[in-house]
């Protein structure tokens, strides 16, 4: 499962960790996050994230 | 700043900071000073939109007192946590302990981490409305324009947008409106503000402008938290933001250099001759002595960047290193850059500058001249020719 980086603030979404504070349990793929999910650090949308290699 | 009625029952109650010359520490030079704008709405619920820098608290409260006793304030809208807009908030909450604060979830968190106050705070989201009586306020979350907590407040009855820092300018004036001030100075400060504060957030800004346009909120007036209010032509600043956010550029070149014994400076001026001869506009800046926030402002709509440095300790010179670090963070798009400079033995400045430019995602044009010690006639000719070749790339778009 790929990690994704917020290009605005640098936060890294790790699917192994998820975003449980905002209802996204560990194991949630970035692609499966809801469309209105936002960066937990800076609040920008999913479109501001880039897939990491 | 004296109190001014800007719309029926809406007053500008902020302050002018004539003296400030450095802002955000020393990251932004405010050569024309600034203002910290706040707005007071008299309705069934008396509402204050934002406050001012802490050091201006007394003047701010005197302004409010010209309209109403501060303890009568019911609501305070906190569009942004940063202290130039929240500094007077602790004193306001002391004067009106029953006032309720409205802001985003990140605003609640941020205000607490600044002031540690136990204040009555109501979190709001995009689409939430607050009825004041005759007037209403609509909230629009604006994360990263320019902090996570940032929010815009809109009053539909007056078609007034209060977007806090967005569309602002560090411009101290006795006038309060766009049509009352010098247009060149105004747009210069608006561009400088965008370039130095908002540029790296361009894709977030474009998306937010589109979102607001889709919401179909007619905007007759934009009252930001710094500088003048846009009443004559709010579309002018919105369109300028769209252009800057799209990284639209003009065919011109910014030459930024640092030199030890003058050779790199000499090369800069010869390259400029080649550029000018090819019909392209250019500006030369010695980065060691120039206000870097002014260079960044010039670069905002400039297509070509040339960076020159002497080699020192196998690397570029320190003022250039600091400047390029800034450029890297701004992440400019749709630009072409190259490097040049003089060296004594192995060289290295050009290579190190290119490393940073690549990290910044800027396209690099090859052929930037690097010469040993003082350039001779043939080498100066090569500088001139490089200038004219680079100008052709810039002309081509
Ligand atoms: Fe700010
Ligand atoms: Fe500000």
């Amino acid at each position: 499962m790929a990690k994704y980086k917020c290009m605005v603030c640098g936060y890294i979404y790790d699917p192994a960790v998820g975003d449980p504070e905002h209802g996204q349990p560990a194991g949630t793929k970035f692609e499966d996050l809801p469309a209105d999910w936002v960066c937990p650090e800076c609040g920008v949308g999913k479109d501001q994230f880039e897939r990491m290699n | 700043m004296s109190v001014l009625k800007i719309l029926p029952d809406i007053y500008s109650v902020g302050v002018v900071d004539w003296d400030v010359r450095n802002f955000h520490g020393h990251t932004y030079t405010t050569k024309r000073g600034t203002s910290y704008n706040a707005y007071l709405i008299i309705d069934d619920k008396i509402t204050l939109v934002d406050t001012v820098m802490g050091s201006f608290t007394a003047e701010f409260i005197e302004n409010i007192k010209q309209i109403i006793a501060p303890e009568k304030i019911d609501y305070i809208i906190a569009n942004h946590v940063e202290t130039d807009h929240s500094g007077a908030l602790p004193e306001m909450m002391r004067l009106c302990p029953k006032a309720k604060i409205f802001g985003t979830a990140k605003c609640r968190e941020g205000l607490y981490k600044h002031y540690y106050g136990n204040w009555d705070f109501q979190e709001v989201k995009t689409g939430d409305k607050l009825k004041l009586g005759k007037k209403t306020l609509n909230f629009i979350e604006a994360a990263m324009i320019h902090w996570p907590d940032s929010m815009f407040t809109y009053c539909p009855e007056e078609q007034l947008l209060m977007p806090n820092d967005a569309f602002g300018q560090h411009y101290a004036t006795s006038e309060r409106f766009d049509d009352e001030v010098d247009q060149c100075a105004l747009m210069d400060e608006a561009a400088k503000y965008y370039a130095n504060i908002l540029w790296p957030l361009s894709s977030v800004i474009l998306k937010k402008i589109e979102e607001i346009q889709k919401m179909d909120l007619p905007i007759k007036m934009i009252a930001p938290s710094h500088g003048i209010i846009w009443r004559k032509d709010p579309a002018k600043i919105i369109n300028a933001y769209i252009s800057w956010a799209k990284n639209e550029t003009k065919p011109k070149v910014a030459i930024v250099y640092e030199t030890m014994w003058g050779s790199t400076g000499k090369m800069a001026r010869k390259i400029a001759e080649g550029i000018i001869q090819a019909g392209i506009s250019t500006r030369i800046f010695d980065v060691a002595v120039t206000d870097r926030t002014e260079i960044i402002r010039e670069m905002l709509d400039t297509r070509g960047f040339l960076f020159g440095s002497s080699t020192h300790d196998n690397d570029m010179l320190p003022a250039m290193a600091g400047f390029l670090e800034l450029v890297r963070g701004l992440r400019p798009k749709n630009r072409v850059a190259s490097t040049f400079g003089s060296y004594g033995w192995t060289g290295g400045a050009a290579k190190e500058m290119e490393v940073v430019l690549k990290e910044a995602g800027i396209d690099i044009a090859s052929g930037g001249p690097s010469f040993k010690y003082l350039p001779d006639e043939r080498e100066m000719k090569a500088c001139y020719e490089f200038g004219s070749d680079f100008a052709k790339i810039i002309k081509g778009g």
Side-chain angles (χ1 to χ4, degrees):
Chain A
M1 284 192 292
K3 293 181 185 176
Y4 278 74
K5 185 174 178 180
C6 174
M7 300 316 287
V8 176
C9 79
Y11 163 85
I12 292 167
Y13 179 79
D14 181 353
V17 179
D19 181 16
E21 242 188 272
H22 302 96
Q24 306 305 322
T28 307
K29 278 195 233 162
F30 182 82
E31 295 79 357
D32 294 338
L33 292 168
D36 61 354
W37 178 85
V38 295
C39 172
E41 288 295 339
C42 80
V44 301
K46 279 181 83 175
D47 60 313
Q48 300 294 332
F49 280 71
E50 271 179 23
R51 189 193 166 98
M52 294 173 76
N53 293 313
Chain B
M1 167 156 60
S2 46
V3 169
L4 184 75
K5 186 190 254 191
I6 62 163
L7 284 164
D9 299 317
I10 303 182
Y11 297 85
S12 164
V13 290
V15 298
V16 176
D17 188 345
W18 298 101
D19 302 331
V20 65
R21 289 295 176 267
N22 288 289
F23 199 75
H24 279 159
H26 283 71
T27 66
Y28 192 123
T29 50
T30 41
K31 67 175 189 286
R32 291 186 173 104
T34 192
S35 68
Y36 313 109
N37 304 343
Y39 303 97
L40 184 67
I41 306 172
I42 305 298
D43 208 331
D44 296 345
K45 294 290 181 188
I46 294 169
T47 303
L48 179 65
V49 180
D50 294 318
T51 75
V52 300
M53 183 90 110
S55 46
F56 287 84
T57 302
E59 189 181 333
F60 175 57
I61 288 168
E62 281 311 307
N63 284 352
I64 293 173
K65 278 183 183 164
Q66 288 184 39
I67 312 291
I68 202 158
E71 57 272 23
K72 291 199 168 155
I73 291 172
D74 300 289
Y75 298 153
I76 299 177
I77 313 301
N79 280 315
H80 184 25
V81 165
E82 204 164 11
T83 56
D84 52 332
H85 310 293
S86 68
L89 190 56
E91 183 59 15
M92 288 309 300
M93 292 313 285
R94 207 184 58 77
L95 286 176
C96 19
K98 276 184 279 176
K100 184 182 231 174
I101 306 172
F102 295 79
T104 62
K106 290 281 185 197
C107 179
R108 180 206 286 266
E109 190 188 320
L111 283 180
Y112 186 75
K113 284 300 294 171
H114 276 77
Y115 305 109
Y116 300 95
N118 283 313
W119 300 327
D120 184 8
F121 190 105
Q122 187 174 324
E123 284 179 18
V124 292
K125 285 189 156 65
T126 297
D128 288 352
K129 292 177 171 50
L130 180 65
K131 197 99 194 103
L132 308 183
K134 286 202 280 304
K135 295 189 208 297
T136 318
L137 295 179
N138 300 359
F139 302 112
I140 305 163
E141 292 167 274
M144 297 316 282
I145 310 174
H146 66 127
W147 275 19
D149 47 83
S150 296
M151 177 173 90
F152 298 174
T153 296
Y154 176 76
C155 175
E157 291 80 7
E158 304 299 339
Q159 304 186 353
L160 166 70
L161 183 70
M162 291 172 281
N164 196 269
D165 279 335
F167 310 115
Q169 337 88 45
H170 288 309
Y171 188 21
T173 55
S174 57
E175 299 79 16
R176 294 270 33 90
F177 293 105
D178 52 352
D179 49 291
E180 300 172 320
V181 299
D182 180 79
Q183 295 302 297
C184 292
L186 172 60
M187 290 315 287
D188 183 47
E189 290 301 339
K192 184 174 172 181
Y193 195 94
Y194 190 96
N196 284 277
I197 295 181
L198 301 171
W199 195 350
L201 307 167
S202 287
S203 66
V204 182
I205 289 165
L206 262 188
K207 204 180 141 204
K208 186 58 60 182
I209 292 176
E210 277 167 24
E211 183 190 323
I212 291 173
Q213 285 172 339
K214 275 193 203 122
M215 284 175 175
D216 206 21
L217 307 175
I219 295 171
K220 232 198 286 184
M221 190 184 280
I222 300 177
S225 60
H226 298 288
I228 63 81
I229 295 169
W230 307 90
R231 76 170 169 193
K232 180 166 178 264
D233 193 6
K236 182 177 180 176
I237 190 64
I238 294 172
N239 290 334
Y241 265 50
I242 291 171
S243 173
W244 294 327
K246 285 183 173 166
N247 271 270
E248 288 177 354
T249 58
K250 297 190 176 90
K252 48 182 189 165
V253 178
I255 304 176
V256 184
Y257 79 97
E258 184 171 9
T259 193
M260 282 178 76
W261 290 106
S263 290
T264 300
K266 225 171 135 180
M267 292 170 72
R269 289 184 291 278
K270 191 49 92 178
I271 292 169
E273 276 179 37
I275 293 171
I276 296 161
Q277 195 57 42
I280 292 290
S281 172
T282 189
R283 299 284 181 276
I284 305 179
F285 303 100
D286 177 348
V287 70
V289 297
T290 310
D291 174 353
R292 61 177 185 257
T293 62
E294 292 291 339
I295 308 177
I296 295 295
R297 181 257 169 277
E298 174 64 24
M299 286 166 69
L300 177 63
D301 61 353
T302 294
R303 190 170 303 150
F305 303 158
L306 291 175
F307 300 103
S309 174
S310 326
T311 293
H312 179 256
D313 295 340
N314 311 328
D315 204 335
M316 69 188 107
L317 288 167
M320 180 59 82
F323 185 75
L324 283 183
E325 181 58 29
L326 192 56
V327 172
R328 196 168 69 103
L330 295 171
R331 285 174 277 157
K333 305 242 170 354
N334 310 332
R335 319 286 161 150
V336 185
S338 195
T339 63
F340 64 94
S342 156
Y343 61 94
W345 31 103
T346 318
K351 197 181 92 220
E352 295 299 331
M353 287 190 285
E354 284 184 11
V355 168
V356 187
L357 293 175
K358 274 187 194 134
E359 279 176 10
I362 301 174
D363 289 341
I364 300 172
S366 60
S370 272
F371 296 125
K372 203 164 194 170
Y373 294 123
L374 279 77
D376 62 19
E377 212 178 301
R378 184 188 58 80
E379 290 164 335
M380 286 297 273
K381 195 163 170 276
C383 287
Y384 180 91
E385 276 158 11
F386 170 72
S388 78
D389 290 347
F390 191 75
K392 277 177 205 129
I393 299 175
I394 296 311
K395 223 187 244 175

